[in-house]
């Protein structure tokens, strides 16, 4: 009988390659499990962009609103936990809120940022949050309207040119913000910058920055909007600067309702200032500064004085050193005299009466008409044509009388009316 060969365990193990491979796999698995469950926790920083929306029942009961310089804040959150868990944490696993529970007064306050784990499947903890808080200003909202004050350098025009009246795209705005801030505002300035554009000789258009002016004014938290469109936020307004040619124009007045045969030598005009310092558009056809008109029915024999506001002169811009008013003296020579012509209600011709109506002159403002005539001229009521137009009814039934004189060298002095119904 043959002798049995003895095989040791050591020989069996080292000769079985499959067993060796299984052992190695088990060792690796044990190492992985041990590392994940027994090893040190790892950390990771996750950034969450959060819109700043603050509200609290108590602050709303006080009628306050919050103001912040930022619309959003990037919160860097450090999380800690098992390596395989931390590696999977995303910003969507984090809940970020602002704790306004302590807001109970107006002013700047620090609002804590609270971050929590909102994941139902990932076990990790929050170890750090940056920033830990934000600053916000709480106050009652105030709203006020302001005219825009244009601030600009007037010395950037070329020689012989001046700025006309600037035209703003908006001349009045609404300012909203915390009451403590709005109450300090005294004006809203539109600050124009011409940059390198000096020696201007033509119209210039630019955008002007809007700036709140006043003692201790801060721009933080203020919103400026258009009066015409309160939903439109304004940072700037457009301004057009007319550039005008500087001129010294002769002044003049127009005499209206002049009789056809009045001689210029009998009616003379004199001005307190012969010229007016103005600015006009380069191509404007303006040769004189027309102060206004004077009707002959305001002229009596002798000296007649009238005052004109030069700011009302059309087609020009009055410059700073120009006379603000000009006196005009009209001298009617002593070749003329004043006569009184008696009239009656029957002398008035009524025009413009409606069909089936029969209005009558009930009363005259004067029983005589003053007429300025060449000396020695004799006139009577039949030399006057007196009309009253009643086509547009007046509240008091008084109508102006239109009076003409047959003598082409004479005119009616003053105005007259009649009560008609």
């Amino acid at each position: 009988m043959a002798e049995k060969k003895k095989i040791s365990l050591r020989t069996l193990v080292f000769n079985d390659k499959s067993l060796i491979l299984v052992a190695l796999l088990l060792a690796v698995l044990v190492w992985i499990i041990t590392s994940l469950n027994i090893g040190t926790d790892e950390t990771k920083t996750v950034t969450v962009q959060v819109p700043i929306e603050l509200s609290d029942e108590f602050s709303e009961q006080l009628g306050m609103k919050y103001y912040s310089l930022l619309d959003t804040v990037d919160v860097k959150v450090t999380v800690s936990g098992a390596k395989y868990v931390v590696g999977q944490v995303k910003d969507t696993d984090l809940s970020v809120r602002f704790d306004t529970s302590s807001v109970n007064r107006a002013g700047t306050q620090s609002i804590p940022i609270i971050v929590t784990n909102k994941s139902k499947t990932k076990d990790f903890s929050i170890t750090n949050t940056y920033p830990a808080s934000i600053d916000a200003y709480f106050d009652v909202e105030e709203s006020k309207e302001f005219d825009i004050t244009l601030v600009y350098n007037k010395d950037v025009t070329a020689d012989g040119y001046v700025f006309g009246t600037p035209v703003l795209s908006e001349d009045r705005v609404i300012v909203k913000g915390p009451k403590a801030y709005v109450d300090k505002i005294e004006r809203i300035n539109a600050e124009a910058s011409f940059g390198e554009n000096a020696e201007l000789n033509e119209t210039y258009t630019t955008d002007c920055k809007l700036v709140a002016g006043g003692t201790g004014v801060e721009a933080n938290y203020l919103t400026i909007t258009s009066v015409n469109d309160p939903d439109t936020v304004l940072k700037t307004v457009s301004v057009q600067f007319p550039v005008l040619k500087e001129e010294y124009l002769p002044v003049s007045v127009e005499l209206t309702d002049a009789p056809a045969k009045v001689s210029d030598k009998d009616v003379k005009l004199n001005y307190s200032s012969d010229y007016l310092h103005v600015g006009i558009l380069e191509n404007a056809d303006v040769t004189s500064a027309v102060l206004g008109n004077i009707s002959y029915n305001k002229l009596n024999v002798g000296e007649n004085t009238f005052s004109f506001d030069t700011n009302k002169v059309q087609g020009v811009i009055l410059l700073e050193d120009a006379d603000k008013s000009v006196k005009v003296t009209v001298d009617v020579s002593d070749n003329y005299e004043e006569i009184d012509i008696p009239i009656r209600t029957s002398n008035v011709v009524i025009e413009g009466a409606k069909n089936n109506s029969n209005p009558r002159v009930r009363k005259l403002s004067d029983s005589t008409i003053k007429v300025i005539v060449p000396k020695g001229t004799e006139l009577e009521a039949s030399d006057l044509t007196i009309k009253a137009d009643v086509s547009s009814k007046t509240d008091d039934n008084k109508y102006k009388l239109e009076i003409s004189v047959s003598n082409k060298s004479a005119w009616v002095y003053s105005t007259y009316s009649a009560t008609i119904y």
Side-chain angles (χ1 to χ4, degrees):
M1 178 178 277
E3 183 180 354
K4 290 183 179 180
K5 188 177 180 180
K6 294 183 179 179
I7 301 175
S8 66
L9 179 60
R10 178 183 178 86
T11 301
L12 179 61
V13 169
F14 283 98
N15 286 340
D16 193 332
K17 293 181 180 180
S18 296
L19 186 58
I20 293 173
L21 181 59
V22 170
L24 287 173
L25 290 174
L26 289 173
V28 170
L29 182 60
V30 170
W31 177 81
I32 291 173
I33 294 173
T34 303
S35 298
L36 293 177
N37 292 282
I38 302 176
T40 304
D41 285 352
E42 291 201 4
T43 61
K44 174 183 177 181
T45 299
V46 180
T47 300
V48 186
Q49 188 178 72
V50 187
I52 298 177
E53 296 177 351
L54 309 180
S55 63
D56 178 74
E57 183 178 351
F58 186 60
S59 63
E60 289 177 357
Q61 287 176 353
L62 294 176
M64 295 190 299
K65 292 186 64 176
Y66 75 88
Y67 299 90
S68 173
L69 298 178
L70 301 173
D71 294 325
T72 62
V73 60
D74 288 339
V75 181
K76 298 183 183 300
V77 183
T78 302
V79 299
S80 176
K83 182 177 181 180
Y84 79 98
V85 174
V86 169
Q88 300 177 61
V89 175
K90 299 179 181 179
D91 58 351
T92 53
D93 296 315
L94 300 170
S95 172
V96 181
R97 67 180 181 86
F98 303 96
D99 184 7
T100 59
S101 60
S102 62
V103 175
N104 57 11
R105 58 180 175 79
T108 301
Q109 298 186 50
S110 181
I111 307 301
I113 299 176
I114 308 300
V115 183
T116 56
N117 177 0
K118 70 175 182 180
S119 172
K120 296 180 179 180
T121 59
K122 299 171 186 175
D123 183 17
F124 62 89
S125 59
I126 311 297
T127 59
N128 188 54
T129 300
Y130 181 84
S133 63
I134 61 167
D135 287 336
Y137 189 91
F138 290 83
D139 201 350
V140 175
E141 185 178 60
E142 181 81 340
S143 176
K144 286 186 179 180
E145 288 190 18
F146 293 89
D147 290 326
I148 294 178
T149 301
L150 183 60
V151 179
Y152 65 102
N153 182 1
K154 297 181 179 180
D155 299 325
V156 296
T157 55
D159 288 341
Y161 291 85
V162 294
F163 279 125
T165 303
V167 180
L168 288 81
S169 59
E170 303 277 346
D171 55 12
R172 193 165 178 81
V173 293
I174 299 171
V175 181
K176 286 184 179 180
K179 178 176 173 57
Y181 282 60
V182 174
D183 284 348
K184 293 180 181 179
I185 300 174
E186 298 173 5
R187 62 194 172 277
I188 297 295
N189 295 331
E191 299 180 346
S193 173
F194 297 96
E196 298 179 356
N197 295 289
E199 304 296 316
L200 295 174
N201 60 6
E202 60 183 13
T203 299
Y204 181 79
T205 302
T206 186
D207 287 333
C208 299
K209 183 180 179 182
L210 294 177
V211 179
T215 304
V217 170
E218 297 180 47
N220 293 343
Y221 316 125
L222 297 178
T223 301
I224 301 175
T225 61
S226 166
V227 169
N228 300 318
D229 183 8
D231 294 327
T232 300
V233 176
L234 299 177
K235 299 291 185 181
T236 63
V237 291
S238 175
V239 184
Q240 184 182 75
F241 292 92
V243 178
L244 309 176
K245 191 174 181 180
E246 190 175 2
E247 295 280 1
Y248 284 88
L249 292 180
V251 298
S252 65
V253 295
E254 296 178 354
L255 294 178
T256 60
D257 304 316
K261 295 186 178 181
V262 173
S263 173
D264 291 342
K265 69 179 181 179
D266 289 321
V267 180
K268 295 182 179 179
L269 286 79
N270 294 288
Y271 302 92
S272 61
S273 295
D274 292 326
Y275 292 90
L276 201 58
H277 193 194
V278 299
I280 61 174
L281 292 174
E282 182 79 43
N283 299 320
D285 185 19
V286 179
T287 57
S288 68
V290 181
L291 301 173
N293 60 67
I294 300 173
S295 175
Y296 260 76
N297 65 18
K298 294 181 179 179
L299 301 180
N300 204 337
V301 178
E303 187 177 280
N304 304 267
T305 302
F306 306 89
S307 183
F308 289 88
D309 182 356
T310 54
N311 283 297
K312 296 180 180 179
V313 175
Q314 299 295 311
V316 303
I317 298 297
L318 199 68
L319 300 185
E320 290 183 357
D321 61 344
D323 294 318
K324 299 303 182 285
S325 67
V326 173
K327 287 186 177 180
V328 180
T329 302
V330 184
D331 289 319
V332 178
S333 77
D334 56 8
N335 292 329
Y336 278 80
E337 63 180 348
E338 176 190 310
I339 63 173
D340 292 331
I341 301 177
I343 63 169
R344 299 177 180 178
T345 57
S346 59
N347 295 125
V348 179
V349 177
I350 299 175
E351 296 182 333
K354 294 182 179 180
N355 294 335
N356 302 322
S357 65
N358 186 29
R360 295 175 56 191
V361 178
R362 309 294 177 173
K363 183 180 179 182
L364 297 171
S365 60
D366 291 275
S367 61
T368 59
I369 302 295
K370 297 182 183 298
V371 181
I372 311 301
V373 300
K375 264 186 179 178
T377 301
E378 294 183 1
L379 296 176
E380 53 189 31
S382 60
D383 293 307
L384 304 178
T385 301
I386 308 174
K387 298 179 180 181
D389 184 358
V390 297
S391 57
S392 297
K393 190 178 184 311
T394 63
D395 293 336
D396 56 3
N397 293 315
K398 289 184 179 181
Y399 298 86
K400 181 181 178 182
L401 296 178
E402 299 292 338
I403 308 172
S404 60
V405 187
S406 60
N407 187 313
K408 299 304 180 184
S409 296
W411 66 90
V412 174
Y413 177 67
S414 193
T415 57
Y416 305 87
S417 64
T419 300
I420 302 174
Y421 55 88

Short mmCIF file of all heavy atoms in Angstrom, two decimals, residues 80-90 92-94 116-125:
data_model
loop_
_atom_site.label_atom_id
_atom_site.label_comp_id
_atom_site.label_asym_id
_atom_site.label_seq_id
_atom_site.Cartn_x
_atom_site.Cartn_y
_atom_site.Cartn_z
N SER A 80 -19.38 70.20 8.02
CA SER A 80 -18.50 69.15 8.53
C SER A 80 -19.28 67.85 8.64
O SER A 80 -20.48 67.84 8.95
CB SER A 80 -17.96 69.55 9.91
OG SER A 80 -17.17 68.51 10.46
N GLY A 81 -18.57 66.74 8.36
CA GLY A 81 -19.21 65.43 8.46
C GLY A 81 -18.34 64.37 7.82
O GLY A 81 -17.18 64.61 7.45
N ALA A 82 -18.92 63.19 7.71
CA ALA A 82 -18.19 62.10 7.09
C ALA A 82 -17.80 62.48 5.66
O ALA A 82 -18.54 63.16 4.96
CB ALA A 82 -19.05 60.83 7.09
N LYS A 83 -16.64 62.00 5.24
CA LYS A 83 -16.09 62.41 3.95
C LYS A 83 -17.05 62.13 2.81
O LYS A 83 -17.26 62.97 1.94
CB LYS A 83 -14.76 61.70 3.73
CG LYS A 83 -14.08 62.09 2.43
CD LYS A 83 -12.73 61.41 2.30
CE LYS A 83 -12.04 61.83 1.00
NZ LYS A 83 -10.72 61.17 0.86
N TYR A 84 -17.64 60.95 2.80
CA TYR A 84 -18.49 60.59 1.68
C TYR A 84 -19.78 61.41 1.68
O TYR A 84 -20.41 61.60 0.65
CB TYR A 84 -18.80 59.08 1.71
CG TYR A 84 -19.86 58.66 2.68
CD1 TYR A 84 -21.18 58.45 2.27
CD2 TYR A 84 -19.54 58.45 4.03
CE1 TYR A 84 -22.14 58.06 3.18
CE2 TYR A 84 -20.50 58.05 4.94
CZ TYR A 84 -21.82 57.86 4.51
OH TYR A 84 -22.77 57.47 5.40
N VAL A 85 -20.18 61.95 2.87
CA VAL A 85 -21.38 62.80 2.95
C VAL A 85 -21.05 64.23 2.55
O VAL A 85 -21.72 64.84 1.73
CB VAL A 85 -21.97 62.76 4.37
CG1 VAL A 85 -23.13 63.74 4.48
CG2 VAL A 85 -22.43 61.35 4.72
N VAL A 86 -19.96 64.78 3.12
CA VAL A 86 -19.58 66.16 2.86
C VAL A 86 -19.33 66.40 1.39
O VAL A 86 -19.67 67.45 0.82
CB VAL A 86 -18.33 66.54 3.70
CG1 VAL A 86 -17.77 67.88 3.25
CG2 VAL A 86 -18.68 66.60 5.17
N GLY A 87 -18.76 65.41 0.74
CA GLY A 87 -18.47 65.57 -0.69
C GLY A 87 -19.71 65.75 -1.54
O GLY A 87 -19.63 66.24 -2.67
N GLN A 88 -20.87 65.38 -1.01
CA GLN A 88 -22.12 65.48 -1.78
C GLN A 88 -22.95 66.73 -1.44
O GLN A 88 -23.96 66.98 -2.08
CB GLN A 88 -22.98 64.25 -1.51
CG GLN A 88 -22.32 62.93 -1.89
CD GLN A 88 -23.20 61.74 -1.54
OE1 GLN A 88 -24.31 61.62 -2.04
NE2 GLN A 88 -22.71 60.88 -0.65
N VAL A 89 -22.52 67.49 -0.43
CA VAL A 89 -23.30 68.65 0.01
C VAL A 89 -23.26 69.76 -1.05
O VAL A 89 -22.19 70.15 -1.53
CB VAL A 89 -22.79 69.19 1.36
CG1 VAL A 89 -23.54 70.46 1.74
CG2 VAL A 89 -22.94 68.12 2.44
N LYS A 90 -24.46 70.29 -1.39
CA LYS A 90 -24.59 71.40 -2.35
C LYS A 90 -25.34 72.55 -1.69
O LYS A 90 -25.90 72.41 -0.60
CB LYS A 90 -25.34 70.92 -3.59
CG LYS A 90 -24.65 69.80 -4.34
CD LYS A 90 -25.48 69.39 -5.56
CE LYS A 90 -24.81 68.24 -6.31
NZ LYS A 90 -25.62 67.82 -7.48
N THR A 92 -28.10 73.71 -2.41
CA THR A 92 -29.53 73.40 -2.28
C THR A 92 -29.83 72.61 -1.00
O THR A 92 -31.00 72.44 -0.64
CB THR A 92 -30.01 72.60 -3.49
OG1 THR A 92 -29.18 71.45 -3.68
CG2 THR A 92 -29.98 73.46 -4.75
N ASP A 93 -28.79 72.10 -0.34
CA ASP A 93 -28.99 71.37 0.91
C ASP A 93 -29.00 72.32 2.12
O ASP A 93 -29.17 71.86 3.26
CB ASP A 93 -27.87 70.33 1.11
CG ASP A 93 -27.89 69.26 0.03
OD1 ASP A 93 -29.00 68.77 -0.28
OD2 ASP A 93 -26.82 68.94 -0.51
N LEU A 94 -28.82 73.61 1.86
CA LEU A 94 -28.71 74.57 2.96
C LEU A 94 -29.89 75.53 2.96
O LEU A 94 -30.32 76.01 1.91
CB LEU A 94 -27.41 75.38 2.85
CG LEU A 94 -26.12 74.55 2.88
CD1 LEU A 94 -24.93 75.41 2.51
CD2 LEU A 94 -25.92 73.92 4.26
N THR A 116 -29.12 76.45 8.23
CA THR A 116 -29.41 75.12 8.76
C THR A 116 -29.36 74.08 7.64
O THR A 116 -29.43 74.43 6.45
CB THR A 116 -30.81 75.08 9.41
OG1 THR A 116 -31.78 75.51 8.45
CG2 THR A 116 -30.86 75.99 10.63
N ASN A 117 -29.24 72.81 8.05
CA ASN A 117 -29.23 71.67 7.12
C ASN A 117 -30.68 71.31 6.81
O ASN A 117 -31.44 70.93 7.69
CB ASN A 117 -28.51 70.49 7.76
CG ASN A 117 -28.53 69.25 6.89
OD1 ASN A 117 -29.09 69.25 5.78
ND2 ASN A 117 -27.92 68.17 7.37
N LYS A 118 -31.06 71.47 5.54
CA LYS A 118 -32.43 71.14 5.19
C LYS A 118 -32.52 69.80 4.43
O LYS A 118 -33.60 69.40 4.01
CB LYS A 118 -33.06 72.26 4.36
CG LYS A 118 -32.51 72.41 2.96
CD LYS A 118 -33.30 73.47 2.19
CE LYS A 118 -32.82 73.61 0.76
NZ LYS A 118 -33.59 74.63 0.00
N SER A 119 -31.38 69.12 4.28
CA SER A 119 -31.40 67.83 3.59
C SER A 119 -31.98 66.75 4.51
O SER A 119 -31.68 66.71 5.70
CB SER A 119 -29.98 67.44 3.17
OG SER A 119 -29.95 66.13 2.67
N LYS A 120 -32.76 65.85 3.98
CA LYS A 120 -33.36 64.77 4.75
C LYS A 120 -32.52 63.49 4.68
O LYS A 120 -32.81 62.51 5.38
CB LYS A 120 -34.77 64.49 4.25
CG LYS A 120 -35.72 65.66 4.45
CD LYS A 120 -37.12 65.33 3.95
CE LYS A 120 -38.08 66.50 4.17
NZ LYS A 120 -39.45 66.20 3.68
N THR A 121 -31.50 63.50 3.83
CA THR A 121 -30.72 62.27 3.64
C THR A 121 -29.24 62.43 3.96
O THR A 121 -28.53 61.43 4.06
CB THR A 121 -30.86 61.79 2.18
OG1 THR A 121 -30.39 62.82 1.30
CG2 THR A 121 -32.31 61.46 1.86
N LYS A 122 -28.76 63.66 4.12
CA LYS A 122 -27.33 63.89 4.32
C LYS A 122 -27.11 64.40 5.74
O LYS A 122 -27.68 65.41 6.15
CB LYS A 122 -26.80 64.90 3.31
CG LYS A 122 -26.96 64.44 1.86
CD LYS A 122 -26.62 65.54 0.87
CE LYS A 122 -26.93 65.08 -0.57
NZ LYS A 122 -26.72 66.16 -1.54
N ASP A 123 -26.25 63.68 6.46
CA ASP A 123 -25.98 64.00 7.86
C ASP A 123 -24.68 64.82 7.95
O ASP A 123 -23.59 64.27 7.83
CB ASP A 123 -25.84 62.71 8.68
CG ASP A 123 -25.63 63.00 10.16
OD1 ASP A 123 -25.92 64.15 10.57
OD2 ASP A 123 -25.18 62.09 10.87
N PHE A 124 -24.83 66.14 8.13
CA PHE A 124 -23.66 67.01 8.28
C PHE A 124 -24.05 68.16 9.20
O PHE A 124 -25.23 68.40 9.47
CB PHE A 124 -23.18 67.55 6.93
CG PHE A 124 -24.20 68.40 6.22
CD1 PHE A 124 -24.27 69.78 6.44
CD2 PHE A 124 -25.10 67.83 5.32
CE1 PHE A 124 -25.21 70.55 5.79
CE2 PHE A 124 -26.04 68.60 4.66
CZ PHE A 124 -26.10 69.97 4.89
N SER A 125 -23.04 68.87 9.69
CA SER A 125 -23.30 69.98 10.60
C SER A 125 -22.70 71.28 10.04
O SER A 125 -21.80 71.24 9.20
CB SER A 125 -22.70 69.70 11.98
OG SER A 125 -21.29 69.48 11.87
#
